[in-house]
């Protein structure tokens, strides 16, 4: 019987988890599984837990850990998850992490790697606050990494470039504070496991991805 090995990404908002998780999933031919995608799929399926999730979403309340865990359990039963998945945005809490351990143990599966992308808070603030969005076509730029030809003007349609409210430095720092309080304890939860790997998020996307691949090779 094949043992499914699931991969987990940890790290603060803006560190690049989503981008790297998608690339790793493609490289390893595993499903890229984000919390948002799982929620939407479960709601569309009309399953009991999907209907419960839909009711919570419509009420505007926060989605509880128990619902998230049951949706993950539902997702892992699908055929394409038989060799493992690359989680993006799960687990977010200690309760979710503990529930995932129990879920995998019940099926004889395991965590293949926990990839903790680490980046200085001020670098994260610079990355996120430098983002600009075209007011007309929605094209995305960055004043440092992907600047327009003419400052403040979209190369594609000539529209003005705006900074979104959630990309303001003060808002980003608040998000980082929430992360430290709620999600960073996961690092301590996984830190002493052989599957845990600290990966520097510094540098270009390709450089970070190379470090991730090496860590997975070591874990494998």
């Amino acid at each position: 019987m094949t043992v499914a090995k699931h991969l987990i990404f940890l790290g603060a908002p803006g560190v690049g988890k989503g981008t790297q998780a998608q690339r790793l999933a493609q490289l390893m031919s595993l499903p890229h599984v984000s919390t948002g995608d799982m929620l939407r799929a479960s709601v569309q399926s009309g399953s009991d837990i999907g209907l419960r999730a839909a009711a919570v979403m419509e009420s505007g309340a926060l989605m509880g850990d128990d619902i998230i865990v049951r949706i993950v359990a539902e997702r892992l039963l699908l055929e394409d998850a038989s060799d493992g998945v690359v989680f993006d945005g799960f687990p977010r809490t200690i309760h979710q992490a503990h529930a995932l351990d129990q879920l995998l143990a019940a099926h004889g599966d395991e965590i293949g790697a926990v990839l903790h992308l680490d980046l200085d808070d001020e670098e994260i603030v610079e990355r996120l606050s430098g983002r600009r969005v075209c007011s007309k076509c929605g094209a995305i730029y960055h004043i440092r990494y992907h600047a327009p030809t003419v400052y403040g003007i979209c190369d594609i349609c000539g529209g003005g470039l705006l900074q979104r409210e959630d990309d303001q430095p003060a808002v980003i720092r608040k998000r980082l504070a929430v992360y430290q309080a709620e999600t960073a304890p996961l690092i301590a939860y996984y830190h002493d496991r052989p599957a845990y790997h600290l990966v520097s998020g510094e540098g270009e996307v390709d450089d970070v991805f190379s470090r991730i691949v090496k860590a997975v090779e070591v874990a494998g």
Side-chain angles (χ1 to χ4, degrees), residues 111-115 190 192-197 219:
I111 295 172
V114 178
L115 301 158
Y190 288 118
D192 294 332
R193 302 190 186 192
Y196 172 87
H197 295 274

Side-chain angles (χ1 to χ4, degrees), residues 132-165:
R132 298 292 186 270
V133 180
C134 178
S135 59
K136 287 186 178 180
C137 72
I140 298 175
Y141 296 85
H142 193 282
I143 58 175
R144 174 177 163 190
Y145 300 110
H146 178 45
T149 303
V150 178
Y151 183 81
I153 302 297
C154 177
D155 291 345
I156 300 171
C157 72
L161 302 184
L162 305 175
Q163 184 182 47
R164 298 188 313 197
E165 185 176 346

Side-chain angles (χ1 to χ4, degrees), residues 182-201:
E182 297 181 358
T183 310
L186 284 171
I187 295 167
Y189 183 84
Y190 288 118
H191 188 272
D192 294 332
R193 302 190 186 192
Y196 172 87
H197 295 274
L198 180 63
V199 180
S200 171

